[in-house]
Amino acid sequence: MVVNLAHWMRPASRGRRRTVRCYGLLVRLTGLTLTVLLVAAVCEVALDLTAWQCAGARVCAERHTWLGFLSPDASHHGWWSPPGRRLAVAAVIPAALTWLLWYLSRRTWNAYESQQPLDRVPETAADEDTDHTALDRPGFWYGRRLVARLRAAHTAAGLLTVSAALAAAAARFDRAGGPTALGALGLLLIAAHLAGAVMVVWVVCRRGRSENRLDRHLDAHLVRRLPLAALALLMLTAAHACWARPGWESSGRLPGGTAFGALALGQGALVVALAVAARLLHATRPDRRSALRGLGGPAVAMLSCALGGVMSGGVSQRVSDWLDGTGSALPGPPVLLTWQASVIPSLLVVLLVLCGHLARRAWRLRRAELAVVSLDHPGEPEDPARTHRIATTRAMATLTDRAPLLVGATSATTLLLGAGALVGAFTTDLPPDDAARPAFALVHGAAQASQALGSWLIGFGFILFVTWGRRAYKDPAARRTIGILWDVGTFWPRAAHPFAPPCYAERAVPDLTWRIATWTRATGGRLVLSGHSQGSVLAAAAAWQLPAPVRARIALLTYGCPLERLYGRWFPAHFGPDALGALHRDVDCWRNLYRLTDPIGGPVRLPGGCGPEVDRPPLKDPLSYGRTATHPLPAPILGHSDYQADPAFAEERARLLARLAPALPGPRPEEPAPAQADSGRSSP
């Protein structure tokens, strides 16, 4: 989901069509590496740590009796105990995970994203030189062809990753003196894997999104045959690994550990190239309000890679510690994964420093707001506790505007720490604990503590994740926070990764536009489209999808609106000031309500020269400072909720309805009520 967001965070540009395509291609390739990293991490746990190392070590197999049938000693060299057959059994787990991801992606597409939008002629050219956003193109909310192609490519990539792990293990033994025929077959399998990898990369690079028309055409042969070919190659490789090889024993780590280093290096190169493309695009149409001066997309892509890296390293290290216990019978995961798990404490220290900086800034803003709150309520008895609560809420609401600092600093830190982990792993070929042993005692102690804390913090993070999930069902505030983040992440179509959560807007926006278009056509009337929070984003997206004559018959009323504060800053190519200004000119009228205590919504801040002002002055929150006849109890601080409770909402709605009233259809004539029956019962 995170890397898919990076695709839509592209800066607004002018005259850079090739760079725009390059930007999308780089994000898609980054998403492909994340799929390979996920499956490779599962292969590391299932194939290397469990089947290769633990089942091959007598001490570890005796500690975990459920591995008895795979252990040569516990099973007395049973049929499943040779290394190749152990690996083939363990390969079922990552292969099943890949199948599950394919199934969920296909099922959610049919459930959420298969609704076709209105079929209409595009009103603007397919370039970036106009003020209009891509959200007004007919095929924006229907990307079936691209999602299907990416789903086939990522599924094949996952299966090829599992197959390559099996092939590498068998090929190393065959090259060291195994049977000649098996060695020759192994070389053919490796060549087939290389050809499959080239095919997967070609499919990902070959085609991007087609938004100027409904992309109903489906590459049926490619979508079906590519995953099936990868599955057939996996089964053939598993049969090749299961073949009897006298003298083959598992020792050390499973071959292929350097693949994690290659993935980390490739992801770093892709993020750097993505940053260069983003800067080139931003330079053509600078926007001072865009997050990180156009580098929001590369920063978020870096975060997605960092999440994948530290989770892979932390989970591998935690499973290794669990399997090995307190002994040293297992070599453990690849050195790079151990280094990546060890940087987690350092990253948390940086995050704590950033949070401390933001807290200090919020405290200073709170002090400044204390005087402002008193001026907002002249002539009322002062209540220090009430003033402090209002000032604190206003100061905390401003932290949303500091999110680019947090994301940028975290991304830069993870890039530096990741580069350091890569250099440390390649130069020493030792875990941080062993690599720092010759150094000073303080350095060695820090490395030892970081290595131990890294794996435990991953376990703690998993517990925290489950706890927050349970809390979201019981705590409305937690549910609202998680829901806002989830709404933003799932609003955008799956353009970079097919295994991201489904895009609910591909169902909601077509449904809303169909309803508006058919109602206006049937009645000839006009309407007010009202939206709160994420609903205001859906309202704008639906208005963009309507034909121009229908769009001119709509008035927008938004409140708690994140269109400029969040979407305009983080997704400037689609919700930038030019796009919002064009929307204001296209609709009949637009009014926006916001509060200073709202951490999500804010003003739209349209550029000058676009007609009447959209933003109403900030609403009072709370509605009254002390007790009044209207509010005998202290009025609550509403923040992001209950905008309809403010009299300004009813006032603006009535004004918009009065503006549209001359064109509204007349009310239906009332029919006389039917007489009651003798039984005395009312008629329905």
Side-chain angles (χ1 to χ4, degrees), residues 134-162:
L135 275 75
D136 67 350
R137 297 176 185 171
F140 185 88
W141 297 108
Y142 192 74
R144 180 187 183 190
R145 186 177 189 183
L146 176 62
V147 174
R149 288 173 65 91
L150 290 179
R151 182 169 59 238
H154 283 245
T155 303
L159 295 175
L160 287 174
T161 302
V162 183

Side-chain angles (χ1 to χ4, degrees), residues 397 559-561 565 594-602 621 639-640 643:
Y559 38 100
C561 170
R565 192 175 189 181
Y594 70 98
R595 301 187 181 110
L596 297 179
T597 55
D598 190 343
I600 304 299
D621 190 26
H640 187 60
Y643 273 85

Side-chain angles (χ1 to χ4, degrees), residues 11 18 90 98 156 161 184 212 222 224 247 288 345 405 408 425 449 531 574 579 604 617 666:
R18 292 186 178 179
T98 305
T161 302
N212 284 329
L222 173 67
R224 296 173 183 172
R288 63 180 182 84
L405 171 64
H574 305 285
V604 179

Side-chain angles (χ1 to χ4, degrees), residues 402-416:
R402 308 302 295 175
L405 171 64
L406 184 64
V407 172
T410 305
S411 298
T413 303
T414 53
L415 181 61
L416 294 176

Side-chain angles (χ1 to χ4, degrees), residues 160 164 187-201 233:
L160 287 174
L187 292 177
L188 292 176
L189 290 176
I190 291 176
H193 283 86
L194 292 176
V198 171
M199 183 64 182
V200 167
V201 174
L233 183 58

Side-chain angles (χ1 to χ4, degrees), residues 2 116 122 156 178 191 226 270 280 321 344 347 385 389 395 407 433 448 479 489-490 559 580 608 630 646 657:
V2 178
Q116 295 188 15
L226 185 59
L270 287 172
L280 293 175
D321 294 342
I344 298 177
L347 181 60
R389 283 196 296 270
V407 172
D433 183 10
Q448 190 176 25
R479 182 166 59 249
T490 56
Y559 38 100
L580 295 180
T630 307
D646 196 297
L657 290 174

